[in-house]
Amino acid sequence: MDVESIYPNFDHAEGIEASKIFLDQRRNKTFPTDRLLTIMKLILKSNVMTFGTRIFQQIKGTAMGTPMAVSYANIFMNWYENNMLSEYQKLYNKKPNTWLRFIVYIFFVWSGDEKSLKHFLTFCNNFSNEYKLKSSIKFTYTYSEKEVNFLDTKVEIEDNGSLSTNLYCKPSSAHQYQNKRSSHPPH
């Protein structure tokens, strides 16, 4: 699964709540959580852009270029997915066997039939609305009984039930490299 457009689609208050939970779990609290949250709020309220002669303030989500954007999105998604998965398990006594996420890319293993998988995927895509969250998180997904591609990895189920991996390259990949005499930095 992929999270659709995470950066502009999560609510500041929910993101701050997720960050507070995360920061309160730190061992080293030399720098107080409330001070860090104040700084985060300042950064979020300072996301501005210009279009022509007009200035706009981003009031939902975070700007992708902000140094804290990836960490903030990761913390938010951790909070979001933990709530979503625990609620599904509470309601239906089922959860994915494996759930792995890299920023917005999710790999999970589901035991059961296609109908129960589709039910789970629908639950995931409706979670924001059903639980009255202001963040509008949606997922795209592909699934297969035999193999799936996750980032640059193809994961396959072998005949004996074990998983194997191999390199996956997108069809559009040209496998081109920079000429070492180009005007790019040597590193």
Side-chain angles (χ1 to χ4, degrees):
M1 288 190 340
D2 291 358
V3 181
E4 290 182 354
S5 305
I6 180 69
Y7 296 100
N9 284 318
F10 62 94
D11 179 69
H12 287 178
E14 291 170 0
I16 293 295
E17 179 184 343
S19 298
K20 181 178 181 351
I21 292 166
F22 177 79
L23 292 169
D24 283 344
Q25 295 173 6
R26 295 174 297 153
R27 280 186 237 149
N28 181 350
K29 295 182 185 168
T30 306
F31 205 79
T33 296
D34 62 331
R35 202 170 288 162
L36 287 169
L37 295 176
T38 299
I39 293 168
M40 288 175 74
K41 289 174 190 174
L42 178 64
I43 292 168
L44 291 169
K45 288 181 181 178
S46 299
N47 283 340
V48 294
M49 63 165 275
T50 59
F51 185 77
T53 59
R54 298 181 68 192
I55 298 173
F56 296 90
Q57 179 184 18
Q58 185 170 352
I59 58 173
K60 190 174 183 183
T62 186
M64 289 177 64
T66 306
M68 73 170 226
V70 175
S71 296
Y72 186 54
N74 264 324
I75 290 168
F76 173 79
M77 277 309 299
N78 180 268
W79 173 82
Y80 187 88
E81 71 191 359
N82 284 339
N83 287 323
M84 181 182 71
L85 294 171
S86 66
E87 190 62 25
Y88 191 83
Q89 185 172 17
K90 185 170 71 174
L91 291 172
Y92 304 104
N93 198 29
K94 188 160 180 64
K95 66 178 185 175
N97 294 355
T98 302
W99 181 274
L100 305 169
R101 181 178 49 82
F102 177 73
I103 307 173
V104 296
Y105 307 103
I106 300 164
F107 173 84
F108 71 93
V109 176
W110 185 262
S111 291
D113 59 10
E114 188 174 11
K115 183 180 177 183
S116 69
L117 172 63
K118 286 183 176 181
H119 182 267
F120 174 71
L121 294 170
T122 300
F123 178 87
C124 292
N125 270 327
N126 293 331
F127 184 73
S128 291
N129 291 338
E130 292 292 322
Y131 290 88
K132 310 287 188 248
L133 298 175
K134 292 180 182 174
S135 301
S136 52
I137 304 302
K138 298 289 183 194
F139 302 91
T140 59
Y141 52 84
T142 57
Y143 62 88
S144 169
E145 292 182 10
K146 190 69 179 153
E147 66 181 39
V148 292
N149 301 319
F150 178 69
L151 300 173
D152 60 353
T153 306
K154 179 191 285 190
V155 182
E156 297 179 87
I157 299 176
E158 299 295 334
D159 292 336
N160 65 5
S162 65
L163 296 179
S164 68
T165 59
N166 205 339
L167 177 66
Y168 169 72
C169 296
K170 292 181 179 178
S172 60
S173 178
H175 301 289
Q176 293 180 335
Y177 299 96
Q178 291 291 334
N179 185 311
K180 67 180 181 177
R181 287 177 275 166
S182 73
S183 61
H184 289 77
H187 63 277

